Amino acid sequence: MKKHLLLISTLAITLINAQNNENLHREFQRQNEENNKKFETYISKTFGNNRNAETQKKIEELRTNLAGFSGDVPNFYQTNDQNQIYNNNVDALTTAGGVTGLSAAFNGEGIKYTVFDGGRIYETHPVFDNATNRITNKEAATNAYSSHATGVASIIGGRAQGLSQSDSNGNVVATGNTKGIAINSTMDSYRFATTTLPGNTATSTVFSKILIAQPKLSNHSYGTNPGWSYNTVADGYPYTGWYWGGNYYPGATVADGEIYDLMGTYYTSDQNYDQIVYNNPSYIIVKSAGNYYGYGPGYSGTTTNAYYYGSAGYTAFPAGATLTANCQSGADCIGYGSLAKNIIVVGATDIIATNNYRYNTSADVVRSDYSNAGPRDDGGIKPDIAAPGTDIWMASTADTTTGSASWQIGSGTSMSAPQVTGIIGLWSQIHKSLFSDLDLNAASAKTLMVHSALEAGPIGPDPQFGWGYIDAKRGAEILVGKSNNSIIFDNETLTNGVVNERTVKASGSEPLKVTISWTDPEYVVSSNYWSDLYNNRVSRLINDLDVRIIDTTTNTTYYPWKLDANNPTNPATKADNTVDNVEQIVFDTPVAGREYKIVVSNKGTLVNNAGTSATQDYSIIITGYSEVLGTKEAAASTSNIIIAPTLTKDNVKVLKAPKKSVFNVYDMTGKRIQGGTINADEASVDLSSYSNGVYILEVKTEKETISKRVIKE
């Protein structure tokens, strides 16, 4: 019992209030009120007090889409606009027998997506009529339908609809199909704008809506542009030209003027997303990277020399000021809110039109010229993944409260993000079918996506494609490999002061490859905008986990990929990574039959988001081995035993434990409150009668003892 008391006493201080979403609700409301005060000042300076009905309508629309401020400059949420299915190998999942080891077709049955977008999805559109109640709008009917939201939803799960496009003479110039990825799924629809939801009296920001919706998987095809944007008088601006979304401080001379921006900056919105996922680790967020690459001076197709700055009234930049376009160097133009550690951010590529629309080599993948590039200012890899985003056929609607059934061809990271969302939903469906209805969590989904990604751009991760090009089929194959024990794909726990390690024998027929990821506590940002945030290279990681491969014959250590924050367009190197909560090692030439040790450890002290000592869960995938020879782990095992979910309202399942295994449940005082014998491949431990909090579920076999922390909410 002393061993359990030691483990439990360590956790007791740190995890009792791990799921306090009510505190988050209050924090998001505080942020909303603070932004509204700054917005009122901005409105007063910009529009004065004499406002007609049209002006007031515009003000209210700006208010609902307010994302935050770069100093005193407001930034607003903006939407980020059948061959892509072949590009991503989705058809292998949606066709029975398309993946070896899976006899069924997977089309999203039982999977619910949540879409946060510019307006309501047009639920009666024909692309959603293959079943009843496929779309549920959660916003009041006074909110307009959105062509953007409807298009995004059809990419996730619209049914097939063959279409053609004609020129002015009636000649067919293009054909396509609006078929989405998960055609039998359902979706809930919310606006990303700050609105009053039905039944509520107070307004809710997108962050509060997430807590209300409690989704498992959501798509967010919107973002901020704190760099250059092009606006016209027709848009309500005083001049037509380029407007700077950051700050400018004039100097004694033009050359002394200082220009700042929040592109690449981990900011309050990123902190919010990370906190939500850390508190709700089973929740997966997919977000677009944005479409502002190259905007600003010299942008193709514009000839204006009019450049303005300021939060209100707007002032022309002085002649001779040094002004550069977004991503001038090929990096650093992702807006805040798409730089969080615990979410999946998606860049856009052109459609692969060769090889029967199939990926063949990395040269097939071409970044769409508008797709924003990372990394985060500390060098953290963003975007996380790339997918097709240009010339995507999809559904549309009139942007009114009545709506209509129409069609469109769209381009943008708004189109690439829902493909990733759709694929992760299918992976979750496959996972549920293979592992007794268990969901993928956020860390597992990211690990699977990164490990299965196809190479794009230079070898290794980069600031334009992230970890590569998403491959639905390879992800499904890894899930099958997990089920038949040919691939290691586990959720494990790292304890302070204890190294988790295992030894494997390399197959030699493929690279020895290891990927880990974890949901990291949010980094609390400074309130000093420019001195502490602008181009700050300090790591935004809280818990810095490390993975290594060690050759047991030569004692050589192999390191994970990393980017150089100061030179992010340089090829990735292999060294100690201190900024990413994804680490991957690819050892291309392991010796067949040689033993390699895989070690997971951490720097410093692991903490939770209250700042107190804690364990850290992580997900790991290993491929390229022929045999597992041994383990030395604190709270994980290479056995097949699965304890999940670790966040529950009632039951926790123990899967694949040997018969006659014994389980025990301990509360945070170390008291044993339940126990029993496991006599089947699947056992259910009922926690429904216990109060909310943290418990330890222990499983003992003849060979080992496994302990897992479980949160009862």
Side-chain angles (χ1 to χ4, degrees), residues 563-645:
L563 294 179
D564 180 350
N566 294 309
N567 301 284
T569 57
N570 287 355
T573 58
K574 295 180 179 181
D576 184 25
N577 187 324
T578 61
V579 297
D580 287 298
N581 61 327
V582 176
E583 291 200 359
Q584 182 182 88
I585 303 174
V586 181
F587 178 29
D588 290 309
T589 56
V591 178
R594 182 173 291 183
E595 295 177 11
Y596 295 88
K597 187 182 296 183
I598 297 167
V599 180
V600 179
S601 61
N602 68 281
K603 298 182 182 72
T605 301
L606 298 171
V607 297
N608 61 15
N609 61 354
T612 50
S613 180
T615 57
Q616 176 66 61
D617 292 343
Y618 64 93
S619 172
I620 184 169
I621 296 178
I622 306 173
T623 54
Y625 68 92
S626 60
E627 185 180 354
V628 179
L629 300 175
T631 65
K632 179 185 174 185
E633 301 175 291
S637 170
T638 55
S639 71
N640 302 324
I641 297 174
I642 298 172
I643 299 173

Side-chain angles (χ1 to χ4, degrees), residues 409-426:
I409 302 173
S411 297
T413 57
S414 283
M415 282 66 258
S416 56
Q419 291 176 54
V420 173
T421 303
I423 289 169
I424 292 175
L426 294 190

Side-chain angles (χ1 to χ4, degrees), residues 496-689:
N496 274 306
V498 181
V499 173
N500 288 357
E501 62 183 52
R502 51 165 56 84
T503 301
V504 300
K505 187 177 290 186
S507 67
S509 60
E510 61 179 311
L512 181 58
K513 184 175 179 180
V514 183
T515 307
I516 67 170
S517 74
W518 63 98
T519 54
D520 197 49
E522 70 278 6
Y523 182 94
V524 179
V525 301
S526 169
S527 59
N528 297 321
Y529 286 85
W530 307 118
S531 61
D532 291 345
L533 294 181
Y534 172 65
N535 282 351
N536 192 316
R537 305 303 186 208
V538 174
S539 174
R540 269 34 185 169
L541 273 186
I542 301 300
N543 291 333
D544 184 1
L545 274 59
D546 294 311
V547 65
R548 305 285 187 262
I549 296 177
I550 301 173
D551 186 326
T552 61
T553 300
T554 66
N555 217 28
T556 303
T557 299
Y558 298 93
Y559 289 85
W561 292 111
K562 64 168 295 186
L563 294 179
D564 180 350
N566 294 309
N567 301 284
T569 57
N570 287 355
T573 58
K574 295 180 179 181
D576 184 25
N577 187 324
T578 61
V579 297
D580 287 298
N581 61 327
V582 176
E583 291 200 359
Q584 182 182 88
I585 303 174
V586 181
F587 178 29
D588 290 309
T589 56
V591 178
R594 182 173 291 183
E595 295 177 11
Y596 295 88
K597 187 182 296 183
I598 297 167
V599 180
V600 179
S601 61
N602 68 281
K603 298 182 182 72
T605 301
L606 298 171
V607 297
N608 61 15
N609 61 354
T612 50
S613 180
T615 57
Q616 176 66 61
D617 292 343
Y618 64 93
S619 172
I620 184 169
I621 296 178
I622 306 173
T623 54
Y625 68 92
S626 60
E627 185 180 354
V628 179
L629 300 175
T631 65
K632 179 185 174 185
E633 301 175 291
S637 170
T638 55
S639 71
N640 302 324
I641 297 174
I642 298 172
I643 299 173
T646 54
L647 173 63
T648 183
K649 296 182 183 296
D650 42 46
N651 294 312
V652 178
K653 294 180 180 179
V654 180
L655 306 176
K656 299 186 177 182
K659 291 184 179 179
K660 297 184 180 180
S661 298
V662 174
F663 77 87
N664 295 296
V665 180
Y666 299 89
D667 67 15
M668 298 310 293
T669 69
K671 178 182 178 182
R672 179 179 178 274
I673 58 176
Q674 188 182 158
T677 302
I678 298 172
N679 291 311
D681 287 342
E682 176 181 326
S684 183
V685 180
D686 187 2
L687 301 180
S688 60
S689 62

Side-chain angles (χ1 to χ4, degrees), residues 81 146-152 154 163 165 178 391-397 406-410 415:
D81 284 286
S146 164
S147 58
H148 190 274
T150 303
V152 164
S154 73
L163 299 170
Q165 186 182 44
T178 62
D391 294 337
I392 306 298
W393 296 71
M394 55 190 178
S396 187
T397 181
S406 54
W407 314 92
Q408 59 183 318
I409 302 173
M415 282 66 258

Side-chain angles (χ1 to χ4, degrees), residues 28 31-32 34-36 38-39 61-70 73-79 192-194 205-207 222-226 262 267-270 272-273 287 292 335-338 529:
F28 297 155
Q31 292 175 14
N32 190 26
E34 182 178 297
N35 279 337
N36 269 327
K38 296 182 74 171
F39 182 75
E61 183 65 19
L62 290 173
R63 186 192 307 276
T64 62
N65 290 319
L66 180 64
F69 284 83
S70 297
V73 179
N75 300 133
F76 302 97
Y77 290 127
Q78 304 174 46
T79 52
F192 56 65
T194 301
T205 66
V206 67
F207 303 110
Y222 58 87
T224 61
N225 176 15
L262 292 179
Y267 196 35
T268 306
S269 299
D270 302 292
N272 291 345
Y273 286 122
K287 203 164 187 293
Y292 315 114
Y336 62 83
S338 294
Y529 286 85

